Amino acid sequence: MDLKVSARAAALAGHLSMGNASAEVKDTSILGLGNPMASMAVERTKASFPIRELTYFLDGGKEVTAVKERMMTELERDPVFQNVDFYDLTKEQLRERTMSKIARLIHYITSEREEVSYLRFSLVGLIDMSLLTRTGVHYALFFGSLRGSASQKQFAYWISQGAAEMRGMIGCFCMTELAHGSNVAGLETTATFDERTDEFIIHTPHIGATKWWIGGAAHTATHTVCFARLIVKGKDYGVKSFVVPLRDPKTYDLKPGVSIGDIGKKMGRDGIDNGWVQFSYVRIPRQFMLMKHSKVDRHGNVTQPPLEQLAYGALVVGRVSMVADSAQMSKRFVTIAVRYAAVRRQFTSKKGEVETKILDYALHQRRLLPLLAQTFAMQFSSDEMSAMHRALMRKIDSTDLSDLKAMAVVIEELKEVFTTSAGLKAFTTWACAETIDQTRQACGGHGYSAYSGFGQAYNDWVVQCTWEGDNNILALSAGRGLVQRYLDVQRGANAPPQTEYLNKLARLKSAQAGSRQIDSVAVLSEAWEAVAAAVVSKAGESFIALRKKGLTADEAFEETSQQRFLAARIHTQYFLVLKFFDRISSSGPEIKPVLTDLSYLYAIWSIENNAGLFLQAEFFTSKQIDEIRELCNLYCRKVREQAVPITDAFNLSDFFINSAIGRYNGNVYENYFTQVKRQNPSKPLAPYFENVIKPFVHRVAEVEVDAEELDEDEA
C-alpha cells in the first residue's frame, strides 16, 4: 500500500476511534490527531469548581434543577418528541409533528402550576422553536389577551368555552397587517358598532389591512383575538381587541365572511401554520370586545380608562420571555462550539507532535469565550427582568383603578419596565442571533452541516429580531424613555433604580479610572455608569436644543434617533453588566471565582467593543484601553481552562443539544458520520439519474473527435 494512503487511513481511524476511557485519562494521539473522547475527558478534569453547584445557581436552586431534570427525562423518553430526523423533515411533516407535540403537552399545561409550565416551555423551546411559538400563540398571546384585557365575567365565559385547555377552541392573535406591523396604532381593520343589533362588524377595508403572519390561522385556529379600530357612531376610538370566531370547531368550516389562506414557506419555523385573514363584514356580539379597560354599552356609550397605558402591560410578557429565550438558546450553541473546539485539532508546530486544539488558539478564544460570558449576563438580566415584570403585574392587579395617585405610581413603574424590556428584547435577541452565527463559523465547515444544528436554529431564531416589536423600533422606544427620564431629572425628579446613574450626573461627568485596578467590580461598574450617563445626557441635551430651535417634541425625537438608539444600546449593556455583578454577589465561595472571571470578561470585552465612547467620556485613557485589551486576553485564557465544565453546568443533554458535533462524549467524527449515514442511506443511482444525469452525460457530441488524433507526435 502507498505510504501516504496508509498514513491517511491511520489518521482517519484516529478521528473515528471510540477511544478507551481508562481510569487514568491521557490525551493520546495518532499521527498528530488527539483522540476526541480522551481530549474531552481531559477538559473535564480541569474543573476548578463543583459543576453541580453552578447548575443549581443558574437554575435558582437544587429543587428547581430536580424539576427541570424530571421534565427533561419525560420529554427525551417520549417518542412523540424524538428528534433524530428533525433536520430532514418537510414543512408538512413539521406542522403535523407540531400539533402532535401540542396534543401531548396539553396534559402538563392543564395540570401544572403556571410557573412550572414556564419552566417546561423553556426546555421545549430548545427542542423545537416552532412548537414553543405555536403553543405560545395560544397561551401567551390569545389566552394572555383574554386574561389581561377581558373583564372578569368575560374571562370566566371564555374559560367555560375551553380556552384554558384548548378544548373546543384553538386561539390565534390577529394583530399584524400586511401594511402595518410595528405601528399598532395605525392598524386599519375596523370594528364598527351596530347599535340596532348590538353587534360589532369586523371588516378588512382593503388588501393592506389583511391580517398577515398570523400563527395558527392557516389550518388550526378556531378563534382569534383581533386588533381593530373601534368605530362607534362615526367616531374612531383607536385600536381595541375583539374575540372573533374563525371556524366552526366541529366541522372546521370557515365562518361566514372569514377568508383565510396559508402564507407559505418561510425562512424558518415551518412547524407553524402562519396564515392571512380577511374579514368581510363579520358580525360578533358586542360582548366579544374585551372590556377590562375600554367599554361599550348597549347604547353605544364608550368608556375609556383614565390610564390607557395599562392595556399594554400584558404585552410586555412577550418581550420578557424572549430575553429568557435568548439566554437559553445561546447556552445551546455556545456549548456546541466549545465542545467542538475542545476536541478539534488543527496544525502543529513540530513534526510528529499532537496537533493543537483549536480552543487553545488565542483568536479562537476571543471568538467564543466572550459569547459564553455574555450568555451568563443575559440569563441574570433575564431573571431580574422577570422579577420586575411579576412585581409590576401584581401591583397592577392589586391597585384600585379609581385611586389616581396610586395608579400614577404604577404607571411610572410600567414605563420603567416597558423601557427596560424594550432594550433588553432588542439587544439580547440580536446578541443571540450573532452568537448562533459566530459559533457556527467557529466550527468551520462542519458547522455548515444541517446536523450541527446551527442552520435550522438561525433560520428559526432570527424572526425574534422583528416580531413583537422590530428591534430597531424597540431600541428607539427605549431611547425615547431614557431621554424622557433625563428630562424628568433635569426638572428635579429622582431617577428610578434602573437609571440611577442619572442622579449622579455631576460626579460621573468627572469620574476617571485613575490609578485604580481596572479589573474590579468598583471600577468596571463606575465605568459603565459614567458612559451610560454621558450617552443619555448627550441625547437629552440634543433634544432640548432642538426644542429651543422650535421643533415639536416628535420632530426633536426623530432628529435624535441615532442618539436615542445609542443611548438604548449602552443603557442595556450597562444593565447586563450591573445585573451580572449583582447576581454573583449572592453566589457561594466555590463558584464565585469562575463567575467573577466570566463577569470581568463580559464587562471588559464590552468596554473594548465601545472603546471610543469610554475615551469620549474620559473615564479611561488611551493607554488604559490598551490595558483593557490585554485584560480581555487574560480573562479569555482564564475562562478557557474552565470552558467545558462551565458549559456542562448548563445541564443540557445530547437530546436538547441535538448536534452531531456537540455531544457530551466529544466523539464528534463518529457521531457526525453515523448520523449522515443513517439519514442519507447510500443509493446506487440518484432519483433524477434517468431524466437528468444520463441524458446529459450521454448527449451526442457536436464534433466527433478521432481518438488517434490525441496521440502525441512521434519523434
Side-chain angles (χ1 to χ4, degrees):
M1 179 183 291
D2 183 278
L3 290 178
K4 290 183 178 179
V5 175
S6 177
R8 178 61 182 157
L12 183 60
H15 270 294
L16 299 179
S17 171
M18 287 290 289
N20 180 24
S22 60
E24 182 182 2
V25 179
K26 293 183 179 179
D27 204 349
T28 60
S29 63
I30 303 174
L31 294 178
L33 293 170
N35 181 292
M37 293 179 71
S39 295
M40 183 65 81
V42 167
E43 292 293 330
R44 293 194 167 101
T45 66
K46 297 178 181 180
S48 64
F49 62 93
I51 294 173
R52 200 66 175 162
E53 289 303 314
L54 183 53
T55 299
Y56 296 153
F57 186 74
L58 288 168
D59 288 344
K62 186 175 181 179
E63 297 76 14
V64 180
T65 298
V67 173
K68 284 182 68 174
E69 288 179 340
R70 173 178 60 79
M71 292 175 173
M72 292 168 75
T73 300
E74 291 168 347
L75 292 167
E76 191 165 345
R77 292 179 178 177
D78 192 328
V80 172
F81 284 88
Q82 69 84 19
N83 61 6
V84 70
D85 59 349
F86 182 73
Y87 300 121
D88 291 297
L89 298 176
T90 65
K91 180 180 75 173
E92 288 71 25
Q93 289 171 325
L94 284 167
R95 289 184 176 183
E96 181 178 353
R97 287 204 186 178
T98 297
M99 287 308 300
S100 296
K101 292 172 185 176
I102 291 174
R104 184 74 85 195
L105 283 173
I106 201 68
H107 161 73
Y108 300 107
I109 295 170
T110 56
S111 61
E112 292 176 337
R113 299 191 314 275
E114 189 171 33
E115 60 270 23
V116 176
S117 284
Y118 283 141
L119 197 59
R120 183 178 297 276
F121 277 97
S122 72
L123 297 169
V124 165
L126 284 172
I127 302 169
D128 185 347
M129 286 188 238
S130 288
L131 174 61
L132 177 65
T133 302
R134 187 62 196 89
T135 46
V137 166
H138 178 89
Y139 281 104
L141 298 180
F142 177 79
F143 189 74
S145 292
L146 296 179
R147 183 161 57 182
S149 299
S151 66
Q152 289 185 352
K153 189 173 182 180
Q154 287 177 319
F155 186 57
Y157 170 78
W158 291 113
I159 290 288
S160 73
Q161 297 301 299
E165 301 174 325
M166 295 178 82
R167 188 188 302 275
M169 69 164 55
I170 298 176
C172 66
F173 191 72
C174 280
M175 178 182 279
T176 301
E177 295 177 354
L178 190 56
H180 281 91
S182 297
N183 183 15
V184 176
L187 295 177
E188 297 178 277
T189 299
T190 57
T192 304
F193 181 57
D194 185 342
E195 188 176 345
R196 181 181 58 83
T197 62
D198 197 25
E199 294 174 316
F200 285 108
I201 302 170
I202 311 298
H203 184 59
T204 305
H206 56 79
I207 193 170
T210 303
K211 296 297 182 181
W212 202 263
W213 286 111
I214 310 305
H219 297 143
T220 53
T222 61
H223 292 69
T224 189
V225 167
C226 177
F227 283 68
R229 311 197 70 80
L230 173 63
I231 310 294
V232 180
K233 299 178 181 178
K235 182 178 179 180
D236 185 336
Y237 288 88
V239 176
K240 313 297 177 187
S241 51
F242 304 80
V243 177
V244 184
L246 301 176
R247 294 178 170 94
D248 183 316
K250 294 181 179 178
T251 66
Y252 258 67
D253 291 337
L254 292 176
K255 290 288 188 176
V258 175
S259 301
I260 291 178
D262 192 327
I263 68 168
K265 180 75 175 174
K266 306 183 292 290
M267 186 173 172
R269 303 205 188 204
D270 277 328
I272 310 166
D273 53 318
N274 292 85
W276 56 263
V277 183
Q278 290 180 337
F279 303 99
S280 299
Y281 305 103
V282 175
R283 289 179 172 269
I284 60 170
R286 173 177 55 85
Q287 295 83 356
F288 281 17
M289 173 183 167
L290 299 181
M291 297 194 199
K292 182 176 183 178
H293 304 294
S294 297
K295 298 176 175 62
V296 178
D297 69 14
R298 176 67 184 84
H299 304 291
N301 298 309
V302 179
T303 304
Q304 298 269 60
L307 299 167
E308 284 194 88
Q309 300 99 317
L310 291 177
Y312 293 98
L315 298 179
V316 174
V317 67
R319 300 176 187 175
V320 174
S321 68
M322 281 189 274
V323 179
D325 292 343
S326 297
Q328 188 82 323
M329 200 57 60
S330 293
K331 289 178 186 177
R332 178 185 170 198
F333 290 99
V334 168
T335 298
I336 295 169
V338 165
R339 287 178 177 174
Y340 183 75
V343 301
R344 177 72 168 178
R345 294 177 179 271
Q346 297 289 288
F347 309 111
T348 181
S349 58
K350 294 182 180 179
K351 188 176 181 180
E353 286 193 353
V354 65
E355 289 183 286
T356 302
K357 295 179 178 181
I358 61 175
L359 190 54
D360 286 327
Y361 288 109
L363 183 59
H364 207 77
Q365 292 172 14
R366 277 294 202 125
R367 297 173 73 183
L368 284 184
L369 301 182
L371 301 180
L372 173 59
Q374 178 178 254
T375 300
F376 279 79
M378 288 196 292
Q379 162 147 359
F380 296 149
S381 289
S382 166
D383 294 343
E384 176 68 16
M385 186 71 254
S386 296
M388 288 171 61
H389 180 254
R390 287 194 299 271
L392 172 67
M393 296 312 292
R394 285 195 298 268
K395 186 166 287 189
I396 289 175
D397 290 340
S398 63
T399 302
D400 183 357
L401 293 177
S402 63
D403 185 344
L404 296 184
K405 186 175 180 180
M407 287 309 302
V409 174
V410 172
I411 290 298
E412 286 304 304
E413 291 187 23
L414 175 59
K415 287 178 181 178
E416 195 69 14
V417 169
F418 203 80
T419 296
T420 304
S421 65
L424 280 172
K425 184 270 182 185
F427 293 103
T428 60
T429 56
W430 267 329
C432 182
E434 182 71 5
T435 294
I436 297 171
D437 187 50
Q438 288 302 314
T439 51
R440 175 193 68 79
Q441 293 184 46
C443 292
H446 295 329
Y448 193 66
S449 169
Y451 304 120
S452 71
F454 294 102
Q456 184 65 58
Y458 184 82
N459 287 346
D460 285 345
W461 177 261
V462 290
V463 69
Q464 299 268 34
C465 301
T466 48
W467 69 7
E468 292 210 35
D470 175 274
N471 281 357
N472 288 281
I473 302 300
L474 286 180
L476 289 176
S477 175
R480 185 182 184 120
L482 291 168
V483 169
Q484 289 171 328
R485 188 63 68 191
Y486 174 80
L487 298 177
D488 290 342
V489 170
Q490 295 305 299
R491 299 185 190 105
N494 283 322
Q498 308 312 329
T499 51
E500 189 177 8
Y501 53 82
L502 293 177
N503 295 327
K504 302 180 282 185
L505 288 174
R507 182 177 67 78
L508 290 173
K509 190 173 183 179
S510 59
Q512 293 180 329
S515 60
R516 292 178 292 171
Q517 181 180 331
I518 292 175
D519 51 336
S520 66
V521 171
V523 172
L524 292 172
S525 297
E526 189 177 34
W528 276 101
E529 282 186 318
V531 79
V535 170
V536 174
S537 296
K538 189 171 184 178
E541 288 301 319
S542 294
F543 177 85
I544 292 171
L546 290 168
R547 290 286 280 138
K548 287 180 178 178
K549 288 182 180 180
L551 274 68
T552 66
D554 285 343
E555 289 170 340
F557 275 124
E558 180 57 30
E559 284 294 309
T560 56
S561 291
Q562 182 59 35
Q563 290 170 300
R564 285 192 288 137
F565 184 93
L566 180 61
R569 181 169 67 80
I570 295 302
H571 172 77
T572 300
Q573 288 191 281
Y574 154 82
F575 187 91
L576 287 161
V577 170
L578 267 290
K579 296 310 170 185
F580 202 154
F581 289 153
D582 287 349
R583 182 65 177 274
I584 63 175
S585 65
S586 63
S587 63
E590 294 177 309
I591 61 173
K592 184 167 288 186
V594 71
L595 286 171
T596 299
D597 286 345
L598 286 163
S599 68
Y600 286 175
L601 175 56
Y602 178 67
I604 290 166
W605 173 69
S606 299
I607 289 171
E608 183 186 40
N609 288 340
N610 297 281
L613 294 174
F614 286 85
L615 287 170
Q616 278 186 312
E618 298 182 348
F619 191 88
F620 292 119
T621 65
S622 178
K623 186 177 180 180
Q624 286 173 322
I625 293 297
D626 288 336
E627 185 181 345
I628 283 167
R629 292 194 179 97
E630 289 304 314
L631 283 171
C632 195
N633 291 335
L634 171 65
Y635 281 98
C636 277
R637 290 194 295 271
K638 284 187 173 187
V639 172
R640 180 264 171 270
E641 292 305 304
Q642 303 300 310
V644 169
I646 289 169
T647 56
D648 284 350
F650 294 150
N651 203 26
L652 300 175
S653 71
D654 288 344
F655 174 77
F656 287 88
I657 293 292
N658 197 14
S659 171
I661 65 172
R663 292 179 186 164
Y664 183 86
N665 66 5
N667 198 21
V668 293
Y669 304 117
E670 183 155 324
N671 293 336
Y672 182 20
F673 194 33
T674 298
Q675 184 158 2
V676 167
K677 289 192 296 181
R678 181 180 59 241
Q679 294 304 119
N680 305 275
S682 297
K683 298 178 182 178
L685 293 175
Y688 50 90
F689 175 77
E690 290 292 338
N691 293 333
V692 180
I693 298 176
K694 183 176 179 180
F696 173 74
V697 172
H698 295 287
R699 70 192 185 280
V700 177
E702 295 181 5
V703 179
E704 293 291 339
V705 178
D706 187 344
E708 292 181 1
E709 294 180 8
L710 300 178
D711 289 335
E712 294 184 10
D713 294 338
E714 295 182 3

